[in-house]
Amino acid sequence: MKITQTPLVILNFKTYLESTGEKALQLARALEQVAEETGVNMVAAPQGADLWRLSQEVKIPVLAQHIDPVDAGGHTGSMLIECAKEAGASGTLINHSEQRMQLADIDTVISKVTAADMISVVCTNNVETSAAAAALKPDFVAIEPPELIGSGIPVSQAEPEIVEGSVAAIKDINPNVRVLCGAGISTGDDMKAALELGSEGVLLASGIILASDPKQALLDLVSKI
């Protein structure tokens, strides 16, 4: 399932208990409902063990959180691109700040994802890494300064120059790469600001997952666009 329309909301389930197993399914259904009610594209990125179930139970795209730069064979504990695709994943996050990768490995995984006709979302932390990532031709680059992740302080307000600078650098290198904004995003004002800075959507996690009412938090998130 290709992602062609923006604005886009990707919810990274991480490894919270609130987004694990049965609760992962409830969260994915909330994303699906909000997508249907608002017309905003919603994407779930659950843990690997939940990929198959979610891909079968909801109609929104589902992404892996990580793919390893390995071929099939003796790589115990690794996440194989072929396995993720068979499990129903439409693509994957790459190089999240909690799962950093070497540049050569990022390139390898992007190539594998592209060959599998899946979606690549490369996470970066500043203008320079955003530009480097854009040269590798992913579908999306998501800008996330690690010090703001989970802080409740949105990058779109705390460090808008990183978003603006990254958008400019990415588009200069490869205008086909779409830019997402992450780190601290949780409210309608945050998402509105992110879009005004030139991004085409957001990558977020705890602000929605740990909310008392995740569906309402998602509705609030897209209420001002």
Side-chain angles (χ1 to χ4, degrees):
M1 186 184 298
K2 277 291 184 182
I3 299 171
T4 57
Q5 295 181 319
T6 56
L8 176 69
V9 174
I10 300 178
L11 184 61
N12 179 9
F13 287 25
K14 298 195 174 184
T15 57
Y16 291 108
L17 292 177
E18 291 85 352
S19 55
T20 297
E22 188 64 32
K23 291 182 179 179
L25 180 57
Q26 294 171 11
L27 197 56
R29 284 177 172 156
L31 285 164
E32 183 177 48
Q33 290 165 7
V34 172
E36 291 172 350
E37 292 172 17
T38 66
V40 177
N41 286 278
M42 300 277 166
V43 179
Q47 297 172 64
D50 290 322
L51 274 172
W52 169 255
R53 184 181 187 189
L54 267 58
S55 72
Q56 299 303 299
E57 295 281 350
V58 298
K59 295 182 175 67
I60 60 172
V62 176
L63 304 182
Q65 293 182 4
H66 172 74
I67 294 293
D68 286 290
V70 297
D71 296 323
H75 302 285
T76 300
S78 296
M79 174 63 83
L80 198 64
I81 184 71
E82 291 85 353
C83 183
K85 186 170 185 176
E86 285 279 346
S90 298
T92 185
L93 304 181
I94 301 169
N95 193 50
H96 190 273
S97 65
E98 295 160 0
Q99 191 67 259
R100 283 283 182 230
M101 301 171 69
Q102 297 294 318
L103 188 62
D105 291 337
I106 295 171
D107 189 24
T108 296
V109 173
I110 291 174
S111 296
K112 287 179 175 292
V113 171
T114 301
D117 195 29
M118 296 168 73
I119 300 154
S120 52
V121 182
V122 178
C123 300
T124 61
N125 61 355
N126 56 40
V127 175
E128 291 75 18
T129 57
S130 297
L136 302 178
K137 302 179 181 178
D139 295 295
F140 294 91
V141 169
I143 309 153
E144 288 195 306
E147 66 274 14
L148 297 179
I149 292 176
S151 68
I153 303 170
V155 63
S156 55
Q157 295 181 27
E159 299 181 41
E161 67 281 359
I162 290 181
V163 180
E164 290 179 311
S166 294
V167 170
I170 289 165
K171 295 300 182 181
D172 185 54
I173 290 170
N174 188 338
N176 294 321
V177 176
R178 290 175 284 178
V179 184
L180 305 176
C181 185
I185 304 291
S186 61
T187 70
D189 286 333
D190 298 341
M191 183 158 184
K192 182 172 182 283
L195 297 177
E196 289 173 347
L197 291 170
S199 72
E200 296 185 55
V202 295
L203 171 64
L204 71 169
S206 60
I208 302 298
I209 293 168
L210 301 181
S212 57
D213 185 342
K215 181 182 176 182
Q216 187 57 51
L218 286 166
L219 288 169
D220 292 343
L221 178 74
V222 301
S223 64
K224 298 190 175 181
I225 60 173

